[in-house]
Amino acid sequence: VLQRYGLVLLWLLMIALFGVLVPGQVSGPDALKAVLGQQTPLVFLGLALVCTMAVGEFDLSFASIFGLAATTVPALVVLHGWSFPAAAAAAVVVAAVIGAINAVLVVLVGINSVIVTLGIGSVAGGAAYWISKETSVSGMDSALSAIALDRFLGLPLLFWYGAILVAAFAYMMGATPLGRHILFVGSNREVARLAGIPVTKVRMGAYLTSALICGVGGVVIAAGLGGFDPATAETNLMPTFASVFLGTVVVVPGRFNPIGMFIAVYFLLTGVFGLQLLGLAGWVTNVFYGIALVLAVTVSFLLQRRVRG
């Protein structure tokens, strides 16, 4: 139990510690609600990364795909007069096309995934600057923010979208044949192929699903913000990797899993929120995420080596 849920215990201890260090400024429940209510794309991006990491792929383009989708929506609506539904659909299609390019080059052509996704991510980032005319685009109808910011049980809909997606993916990976295929492919592709699993389709599907999640996440975030600054997309890269690797030490130790990632996202956001309450920000946040990533990768590596015997 401690191995599976030790991070949850550490999360509660962190909240208690910040409560002692910052007495009287914010209560525990209020702090937790503030953390869970943050308008962050990390759950969407973490789930997108889990899709590829679970099948043994490495993707460096997800943050740029998200940024391009989030920039496409306000750029088309504000700068070109499109309706929001049309702009949202275009953003998701653009994300899917980039995911398909990743899948073809990595899976069918056989180019190294790090090289491909790094290059494609750079192209997507450049395209976001181009479509936004190298500026932050805002000015969408404020009523659209209800898509992300309307409250249910005291938390914004953005939180519930992420929770529902995570629950659906957790069920798929843990209780369906597709989920078992993903785990087999991620563990050993050759053995999976010999067992009759369509390895190529599973790997390509992972890239496409990842890109679609980034596209949908970009649309929701852009609606909530009323616009988007393409320069902020890459700031999500480090926190997402830290969350995904840290998620492998909880719930299903040694494996990339959606629920572990979900817990890790809010564990890290709690740490950042606490540091901000203590008056620490800027470089401290980067150091915190960097240390979390290194520790998470180290522990994940040790756990995976233990699981594989």
Side-chain angles (χ1 to χ4, degrees):
V1 172
L2 285 176
Q3 185 179 24
R4 288 177 177 269
Y5 301 104
L7 187 65
V8 177
L9 177 60
L10 189 59
W11 185 14
L12 296 176
L13 291 175
M14 180 190 292
I15 294 173
L17 176 62
F18 283 132
V20 172
L21 295 176
V22 195
Q25 290 195 22
V26 61
S27 67
D30 288 341
L32 184 59
K33 185 179 290 186
V35 170
L36 297 179
Q38 290 191 44
Q39 193 170 350
T40 173
L42 288 181
V43 172
F44 288 92
L45 296 180
L47 194 56
L49 188 56
V50 166
C51 286
T52 51
M53 297 294 284
V55 297
E57 301 292 343
F58 198 80
D59 185 4
L60 290 171
S61 65
F62 64 91
S64 296
I65 296 174
F66 159 78
L68 178 57
T71 304
T72 297
V73 176
L76 293 179
V77 171
V78 177
L79 301 180
H80 300 284
W82 286 38
S83 67
F84 174 75
V92 174
V93 169
V94 168
V97 169
I98 297 176
I101 293 173
N102 276 338
V104 169
L105 293 178
V106 174
V107 181
L108 297 185
V109 180
I111 305 174
N112 183 277
S113 62
V114 174
I115 301 300
V116 169
T117 57
L118 183 62
I120 294 297
S122 180
V123 171
Y129 279 107
W130 170 71
I131 197 172
S132 66
K133 299 182 178 179
E134 299 188 14
T135 186
S136 175
V137 184
S138 59
M140 294 193 339
D141 187 352
S142 59
L144 293 172
S145 64
I147 295 174
L149 302 183
D150 267 8
R151 300 245 161 192
F152 177 71
L153 298 179
L155 295 173
L157 292 179
L158 181 64
F159 169 83
W160 296 110
Y161 296 152
I164 291 170
L165 273 175
V166 165
F169 268 79
Y171 174 80
M172 180 274 292
M173 293 185 71
T176 68
L178 176 59
R180 290 189 288 273
H181 290 175
I182 289 172
L183 293 177
F184 278 127
V185 172
S187 298
N188 192 310
R189 290 176 190 167
E190 292 307 314
V191 172
R193 186 176 286 109
L194 292 174
I197 295 173
V199 174
T200 299
K201 290 182 179 180
V202 170
R203 293 173 65 199
M204 293 190 71
Y207 277 109
L208 287 171
T209 303
S210 173
L212 285 172
I213 293 172
C214 290
V216 172
V219 170
V220 175
I221 289 293
L225 295 174
F228 193 75
D229 182 357
T232 64
E234 292 301 318
T235 61
N236 296 301
L237 196 64
M238 181 71 73
T240 303
F241 272 108
S243 300
V244 169
F245 277 98
L246 189 59
T248 63
V249 307
V250 62
V251 183
V252 187
R255 289 181 179 174
F256 297 103
N257 66 93
I259 297 179
M261 177 276 301
F262 187 76
I263 293 171
V265 163
Y266 289 105
F267 172 84
L268 293 173
L269 289 176
T270 300
V272 171
F273 181 72
L275 291 173
Q276 291 172 346
L277 289 179
L278 292 172
L280 302 173
W283 66 270
V284 175
T285 300
N286 292 333
V287 170
F288 177 76
Y289 279 131
I291 292 174
L293 176 59
V294 172
L295 290 177
V297 171
T298 302
V299 175
S300 175
F301 172 77
L302 294 175
L303 285 173
Q304 289 178 16
R305 188 169 66 179
R306 178 182 175 184
V307 168
R308 292 172 183 173

